[in-house]
Amino acid sequence: MRYLPRVLGLGLLSLLIAMLMSCESTKPGKSEFGSPTRIKGEAIAKPESRQIVHFTDTTTEYKTPRNELAQAFIRQFGDGTVVDKIQVRKAPGASGSYYLIGLGLRNGMFRAMALPLNGGGDNTYYLRPSAERYILTSVGCPACFFNFENGRIVGTSCSENSGGSHCDLKIEAANELFAAQ
């Protein structure tokens, strides 16, 4: 019992020291090296965005390798879907609107995911983590297609109109295609 006040006193002292150490000791503002100089008109891609593709007059150059994109789609699906085809496609009816699309199968059923890309102004397109995901799931269809209106995905269609076959579309608010693992 006679050690209890000492133990409590040391515990409180330790807590006080930890609280003081966790407080920021510098005030916000310029560092000793100054602030970075921005060049007027320079477009800087956000660090969380990922460069996907660059278009030239004659070629499409993937800045992120397709095999890396396929693995990222497989992780994003997270349900056993095997993605074996990656493509970047221009959305019908809109200039400059492109989607990154991963196509594959899960238990023999067609699956696809499309993510809108943002242009960087120099024919380079980026994927943002906040970009929505459009996920297609086939129910009896050999292949499903995204339906577009004014450059946006608005629905799906099935490659065959056999009885009971359809494609389901699910829209998620963001993606984690390149989130830290």
Side-chain angles (χ1 to χ4, degrees), residues 2-106:
R2 66 180 193 183
Y3 294 110
L4 185 59
R6 285 186 185 173
V7 171
L8 286 175
L10 285 174
L12 288 174
L13 182 61
S14 298
L15 180 62
L16 181 61
I17 290 171
M19 287 175 53
L20 287 173
M21 290 176 65
S22 68
C23 292
E24 188 172 335
S25 62
T26 61
K27 61 183 200 177
K30 293 183 179 180
S31 70
E32 64 186 57
F33 300 106
S35 58
T37 305
R38 299 238 180 215
I39 299 170
K40 187 175 182 179
E42 180 182 14
I44 300 173
K46 293 183 179 179
E48 67 270 6
S49 295
R50 177 76 172 244
Q51 190 176 13
I52 301 297
V53 68
H54 176 78
F55 296 108
T56 66
D57 291 337
T58 58
T59 64
T60 301
E61 180 183 345
Y62 282 84
K63 294 298 188 176
T64 301
R66 287 190 201 195
N67 61 345
E68 187 178 332
L69 291 168
Q71 291 302 315
F73 271 109
I74 290 168
R75 280 190 309 274
Q76 180 68 74
F77 273 114
D79 61 2
T81 298
V82 177
V83 175
D84 61 353
K85 186 171 184 177
I86 301 295
Q87 54 187 303
V88 172
R89 291 287 181 244
K90 184 175 182 183
S95 63
S97 182
Y98 288 87
Y99 285 83
L100 173 63
I101 302 171
L103 307 165
L105 297 172
R106 176 179 173 227

Side-chain angles (χ1 to χ4, degrees), residues 76-143:
Q76 180 68 74
F77 273 114
D79 61 2
T81 298
V82 177
V83 175
D84 61 353
K85 186 171 184 177
I86 301 295
Q87 54 187 303
V88 172
R89 291 287 181 244
K90 184 175 182 183
S95 63
S97 182
Y98 288 87
Y99 285 83
L100 173 63
I101 302 171
L103 307 165
L105 297 172
R106 176 179 173 227
N107 297 329
M109 302 301 270
F110 181 82
R111 300 287 307 273
M113 186 184 299
L115 303 127
L117 298 176
N118 283 55
D122 62 348
N123 288 331
T124 300
Y125 288 83
Y126 299 85
L127 175 65
R128 294 172 297 120
S130 60
E132 57 274 1
R133 288 181 283 153
Y134 297 88
I135 304 163
L136 279 180
T137 303
S138 163
V139 179
C141 291

